[in-house]
């Protein structure tokens, strides 16, 4: 698999399949985190979904995409998770890390890190929960094991930075990524400005 092709495909799915659904879901008061599942073999999209915490606080984008896949696909046709790529717009929280693990995916890719969620999206809870509930992130303990016997995780921003390509090719990818980041800034501002949204986080 060509890494540049993969990155371009993941960015395209975020832009064309997840962001339009996100625009709709935030008008109902849902959060802006989304997810998708695609085939490793040809990078075709199987399903994309977004957050639906208005209906249930645990329907995060990642959990919701797994839920919808199992609801809308005949069980015998649910693709083997080992044949799939799992894409998350934001680094998955502890709930979603577990959902990805229990569902059998051996990878996930994400665009925004926990620090981005905290600093760009006013969502400090991912780090907070991993520290407070699990005692991670202290005394040199990582927040979670980014590579482990269940899966490897990949930060798309770091992948672009680490690519062995010309400055021009890297900049082309960065321009595309930054355009998506700009779109998320607008989505986040819209979400934050909606004072009628339900208060999901009570702490
Ligand atoms: Zn989550």
């Amino acid at each position: 698999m060509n890494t540049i092709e993969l990155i371009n495909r993941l960015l395209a799915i975020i832009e064309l399949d997840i962001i339009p659904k996100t625009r709709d879901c935030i008008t109902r008061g849902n959060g802006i985190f989304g997810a998708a599942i695609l085939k490793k073999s040809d990078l075709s999209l199987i399903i994309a979904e977004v957050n639906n915490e208005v209906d249930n606080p645990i329907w995060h984008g990642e959990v919701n995409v797994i839920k919808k896949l199992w609801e809308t696909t005949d069980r015998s046709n649910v693709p083997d998770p080992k044949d799939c790529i799992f894409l998350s717009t934001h680094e998955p929280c502890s709930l979603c890390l577990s959902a990805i693990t229990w569902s059998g995916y051996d990878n996930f890719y994400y665009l925004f890190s926990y620090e981005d969620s905290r600093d760009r999206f006013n969502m400090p809870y991912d780090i907070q929960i991993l520290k407070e509930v699990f005692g991670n992130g202290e005394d040199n303990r990582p927040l979670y094991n980014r590579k482990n016997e269940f899966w490897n995780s990949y930060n798309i921003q770091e992948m672009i930075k680490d690519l062995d390509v010309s400055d021009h090719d890297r900049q082309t990818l960065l321009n595309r990524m930054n355009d998506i980041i700009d779109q998320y800034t607008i989505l986040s501002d819209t979400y934050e400005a909606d004072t009628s949204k339900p208060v999901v986080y009570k702490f």
Side-chain angles (χ1 to χ4, degrees), residues 139-157:
D139 301 326
N140 295 322
R141 282 185 66 176
L143 288 167
Y144 65 93
N145 292 322
R146 288 176 164 80
K147 294 191 188 307
N148 58 62
E149 71 174 72
F150 295 102
W151 38 256
N152 288 343
S153 63
Y154 304 92
N155 176 327
I156 295 173
Q157 296 193 42

Side-chain angles (χ1 to χ4, degrees), residues 4 160-161 163-174:
I4 294 181
I160 295 175
K161 194 172 67 182
L163 274 174
D164 185 17
V165 293
S166 68
D167 288 347
H168 174 269
D169 287 351
R170 190 187 325 280
Q171 195 57 49
T172 302
L173 278 172
L174 285 172

Side-chain angles (χ1 to χ4, degrees), residues 5 7 23 27 29 43 45 65 70 75 79 85 93 95-96 108 112 122 128 133 141 143 145-146 148-150 160 171:
E5 277 176 18
I7 293 170
R23 281 198 193 96
T27 64
L43 303 184
L45 179 68
V65 79
W70 281 80
R75 289 206 167 199
I85 289 173
C93 74
L95 167 71
C96 297
F108 63 83
F112 296 107
N122 197 26
Q128 198 176 347
V133 178
R141 282 185 66 176
L143 288 167
N145 292 322
R146 288 176 164 80
N148 58 62
E149 71 174 72
F150 295 102
I160 295 175
Q171 195 57 49

